[in-house]
């Protein structure tokens, strides 16, 4: 069965760029999206259709998807960006989440 | 404003049954397929099930197939999940989620709206 995998954790210093990857076989042939989840809260969509940003998400969040890897990039990372991030892919029959990446801002 | 309000989560014994509900508002409910996503305590997100806008098509993750049934009542703007033969591994927060775009019966399955979740605990 199809799977998408993420690193369990990523660390970044405030003001630097954080990159979180999501890998899957020919993932670039599917749409990928990303969610941010803070403790005790429901997930929030931050990137959809590979690189589109909902109106409520700051410009520092961006996405790309090519080959076998989708990437969420956070430029000028702020302390408030510390959270769990989940990638998700889908096709006509399946919806798949990655295992999640804990982003630590330190 | 889109609102999704789940209810029905309780503590239940293994082998028991439960019905979750989701009350939707703020959008044209019968324009959208709807989904359930769950999250076990301290774990990641897992897609559970989807139902088409008219209820004619349903899909399930393999681990719940044959035990869970998704349904909807468009006249009440409501989504349901009937859960039978519950197992301890079904313990999770269950979210009702709405796709970001649906048109003419086809949807893009990214989720722009999530409920607050309802907690199902399966324990003896």
């Amino acid at each position: 069965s199809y799977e998408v995998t993420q690193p369990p954790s990523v660390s970044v210093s405030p003001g630097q760029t954080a990159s979180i990857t999501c890998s899957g076989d020919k993932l670039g042939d599917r749409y990928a999206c990303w969610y941010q989840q803070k403790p005790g809260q429901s997930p929030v969509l931050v990137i959809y259709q590979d690189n589109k940003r909902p109106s409520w998400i700051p410009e520092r969040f961006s996405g790309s998807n090519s080959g076998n890897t989708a990437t969420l990039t956070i430029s000028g990372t702020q302390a408030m960006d510390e959270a769990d991030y989940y990638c998700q892919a889908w096709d006509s029959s399946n919806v798949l989440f990655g295992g999640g990446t804990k982003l630590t801002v330190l | 404003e889109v609102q999704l309000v789940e209810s029905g989560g309780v503590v239940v014994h293994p082998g028991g049954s439960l019905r979750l509900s989701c009350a939707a508002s703020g959008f044209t409910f019968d324009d959208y397929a709807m989904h359930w996503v769950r999250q076990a305590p301290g774990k990641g997100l897992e897609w559970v099930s989807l139902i088409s806008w008219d209820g004619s098509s349903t899909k399930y993750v393999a681990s719940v197939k044959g035990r869970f049934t998704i349904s909807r009542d468009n006249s009440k703007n409501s989504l349901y999940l009937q859960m039978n033969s519950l197992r301890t591994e079904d313990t999770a927060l269950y979210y009702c989620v709405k796709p970001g775009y649906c048109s003419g019966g086809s949807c893009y399955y990214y989720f722009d709206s999530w409920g607050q979740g309802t907690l199902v605990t399966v324990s003896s």
Side-chain angles (χ1 to χ4, degrees):
Chain A
S1 62
Y2 193 79
E3 293 183 354
V4 289
T5 57
Q6 302 177 230
S9 63
V10 168
S11 297
V12 64
S13 300
Q16 299 303 301
T17 296
S19 295
I20 301 173
T21 58
C22 178
S23 300
D25 185 46
K26 297 180 181 179
L27 181 56
D29 291 346
R30 305 168 182 248
Y31 277 128
C33 60
W34 293 88
Y35 303 90
Q36 176 193 71
Q37 187 179 34
K38 297 182 178 179
Q41 298 183 16
S42 300
V44 173
L45 180 71
V46 295
I47 293 291
Y48 66 100
Q49 287 181 240
D50 297 339
N51 54 21
K52 295 181 169 59
R53 197 170 22 85
S55 58
W56 56 85
I57 297 302
E59 289 185 7
R60 63 180 181 274
F61 288 84
S62 63
S64 63
N65 185 17
S66 179
N68 296 324
T69 304
T71 303
L72 172 68
T73 302
I74 309 173
S75 305
T77 307
Q78 300 182 8
M80 69 172 66
D81 300 329
E82 185 163 286
D84 293 326
Y85 289 86
Y86 295 91
C87 68
Q88 180 227 310
W90 58 271
D91 61 19
S92 60
S93 302
N94 295 289
V95 175
L96 294 151
F97 288 95
T101 299
K102 181 175 181 59
L103 178 67
T104 301
V105 183
L106 42 67
Chain B
E1 178 194 3
V2 171
Q3 284 200 314
L4 300 167
V5 180
E6 303 94 337
S7 61
V10 292
V11 179
V12 61
H13 291 307
S17 296
L18 200 55
R19 189 196 198 205
L20 305 184
S21 299
C22 171
S25 62
F27 65 103
T28 305
F29 184 68
D30 56 10
D31 276 351
Y32 288 84
M34 293 294 293
H35 299 242
W36 288 97
V37 172
R38 68 183 179 183
Q39 186 170 33
K43 302 298 184 181
L45 301 171
E46 180 183 36
W47 174 80
V48 175
S49 182
L50 77 85
I51 186 167
S52 60
W53 69 275
D54 61 354
S56 64
S57 177
T58 58
K59 295 186 189 295
Y60 302 90
V61 67
S63 60
V64 309
K65 208 170 290 186
R67 300 188 298 121
F68 290 9
T69 302
I70 190 172
S71 62
R72 65 191 296 161
D73 185 338
N74 287 345
S75 69
K76 295 182 179 179
N77 286 354
S78 293
L79 176 71
Y80 306 102
L81 187 67
Q82 178 67 42
M83 309 166 69
N84 298 332
S85 302
L86 282 161
R87 306 168 180 168
T88 55
E89 55 264 36
D90 295 320
T91 294
L93 189 62
Y94 284 74
Y95 293 103
C96 168
V97 296
K98 168 192 164 293
Y101 176 81
C102 289
S103 177
S106 294
C107 295
Y108 285 9
Y109 290 149
Y110 58 89
F111 304 121
D112 66 350
S113 299
W114 296 64
Q116 84 289 348
T118 187
L119 182 62
V120 173
T121 302
V122 184
S123 173
S124 55

